[in-house]
Amino acid sequence: MDQTKVGKFIAKLRREQGLTQEALGQRLGVTNKTVSRWENGNYMPDIELLIPLGEALGVGVNELLAGERLSDEQFRKQADENLVEAVRESSFSIKERTEFFRKKWLRDNIWLIVFSILAGLAVSVRFSFDRLWVLISPVWLAIFCWLRNRMMSYIEGKVYGDPKPPSGS
């Protein structure tokens, strides 16, 4: 969607209807500055305003999002393109969702991470330094694997919609 094209189309239709930016804004429950931002291509109308805006301007949502009046043939084609574009713009990629839930898990479980590190240190310090290298690797590896498994179980449940959250998370 070309915001500038949509904005110019909104301005053109508003003028055709004989409405000021303020009058259109009042009809939709927004300020005249918001209408101005749409018309300048700085912002797009919120999704819940698309139908009322289209009704106020005498066009459908597909024409509004296309930024032009459409023939029947164009209308069908544009409807599909608008739907795909809207879904693409409103969806988070799996990578974005994974990163979001990874950060959330780390924030929510910082106490568990700190406690695990302290427990690992306590086990490591308990033994003499000549045998320390033998114990440190397995202890830290076990702690790392356990924490990583908990975090990844949580993330996968959130990203892929696992209905049963991991126990203890």
Side-chain angles (χ1 to χ4, degrees), residues 16-18 39 47 49 62 71 102 113 135 143 155 158:
E16 286 176 4
Q17 296 290 327
E39 291 180 359
I47 194 150
L49 289 176
N62 283 320
S71 67
R102 184 187 70 76
I113 295 166
L135 276 175
I143 290 171
I155 290 170
K158 294 294 186 179

Side-chain angles (χ1 to χ4, degrees), residues 78-140:
Q78 192 64 44
D80 291 341
E81 289 176 13
N82 286 340
L83 179 61
V84 169
E85 183 72 19
V87 169
R88 185 180 318 127
E89 288 182 7
S90 68
S91 299
F92 290 105
S93 69
I94 289 185
K95 184 178 179 181
E96 291 168 328
R97 289 172 53 100
T98 300
E99 186 61 20
F100 171 81
F101 286 115
R102 184 187 70 76
K103 287 178 182 177
K104 182 178 183 330
W105 187 89
L106 289 171
R107 272 193 320 270
D108 293 349
N109 290 283
I110 190 71
W111 62 270
L112 180 63
I113 295 166
V114 170
F115 176 77
S116 299
I117 290 170
L118 292 175
L121 284 172
V123 168
S124 299
V125 171
R126 172 74 173 96
F127 295 93
S128 66
F129 287 102
D130 59 335
R131 294 182 295 171
L132 188 60
W133 67 272
V134 174
L135 276 175
I136 288 178
S137 293
V139 168
W140 289 110

Side-chain angles (χ1 to χ4, degrees), residues 142-168:
I143 290 171
F144 174 79
C145 289
W146 178 70
L147 285 172
R148 178 121 173 110
N149 185 40
R150 287 180 56 89
M151 180 177 68
M152 293 311 295
S153 294
Y154 171 80
I155 290 170
E156 288 174 8
K158 294 294 186 179
V159 170
Y160 298 109
D162 185 11
K164 187 174 132 188
S167 60

